[in-house]
Amino acid sequence: LETELLSIGPAMPSTTIAELLRMKPGMPVWEIRRRRLMGGQPVILETARIPLQVAPTIDEKWLSEGKSLYGMLATTYGLFDQYEEQTLQVVAPTADERRLLNLSTSAQVVSVRGVSYTEDATPFDCFEQTYAAEQFAFFVSGSQKKHLLPAHHVGDWFATPLG
């Protein structure tokens, strides 16, 4: 897979994202949007929302070169993705998702929303990934630790760009 950086900037998280990341009110996140390409064709959209309080700067050059966001967070800030919790839902794509993934009007997508945690259970990323439903199969593996995302967290999953 190749990675294309679509946008990066500070944003104010929704109430849900701020709660899931255990952030104080009014604290911003980095909103990083990327698109994954396979054979030159867009197949996955990814949006990461990372608190500025845990990652004060993001290396835009690093990301624009297609390098790993999580590799940069681990190297720069010691933030290792020890485990994640995710929800998967099959939905109709938004107009933006349809455009960025070159989807037909009848296409469905799998929307994956999740939170990445460090070994000490500190959340540091609320992410969303969008896949064309007919192009992927998913394998799910369990864990002994559970912090399950409550079902009421499925609607309020956004950040508003600053400025």
Side-chain angles (χ1 to χ4, degrees):
L1 290 176
E2 297 174 51
T3 303
E4 174 185 30
L5 179 63
L6 299 175
S7 63
I8 181 172
M12 291 307 297
S14 66
T15 302
T16 295
I17 290 176
E19 179 183 317
L20 290 170
L21 291 172
R22 300 183 201 143
M23 295 174 62
K24 296 177 184 172
M27 298 297 293
V29 293
W30 288 108
E31 184 169 70
I32 302 160
R33 294 192 74 207
R34 299 176 297 161
R35 179 168 54 179
R36 302 289 183 140
L37 307 162
M38 189 178 335
Q41 298 300 310
V43 292
I44 306 168
L45 288 179
E46 299 178 338
T47 303
R49 294 177 184 100
I50 301 161
L52 270 73
Q53 64 193 31
V54 300
T57 62
I58 298 291
D59 189 341
E60 187 170 351
K61 182 178 183 297
W62 175 278
L63 296 178
S64 66
E65 293 172 353
K67 296 179 182 175
S68 168
L69 169 62
Y70 294 101
M72 188 221 39
L73 292 172
T75 301
T76 307
Y77 298 109
L79 296 170
F80 293 91
D81 184 358
Q82 189 65 34
Y83 67 96
E84 298 174 350
E85 292 184 352
Q86 302 177 0
T87 62
L88 286 82
Q89 184 177 19
V90 176
V91 296
T94 65
D96 190 47
E97 291 167 339
R98 186 175 286 116
R99 179 180 59 81
L100 290 169
L101 292 174
N102 296 333
L103 299 173
S104 70
T105 55
S106 63
Q108 294 284 305
V109 295
V110 176
S111 175
V112 178
R113 290 179 172 173
V115 180
S116 298
Y117 295 88
T118 61
E119 187 173 3
D120 69 354
T122 300
F124 68 92
D125 175 28
C126 264
F127 61 87
E128 186 167 9
Q129 300 170 338
T130 304
Y131 301 80
E134 71 277 359
Q135 294 179 350
F136 291 89
F138 295 86
F139 172 79
V140 179
S141 178
S143 162
Q144 295 298 332
K145 295 183 180 182
K146 296 179 179 82
H147 302 276
L148 300 175
L149 296 174
H152 71 276
H153 288 322
V154 297
D156 180 17
W157 202 276
F158 62 87
T160 305
L162 296 176

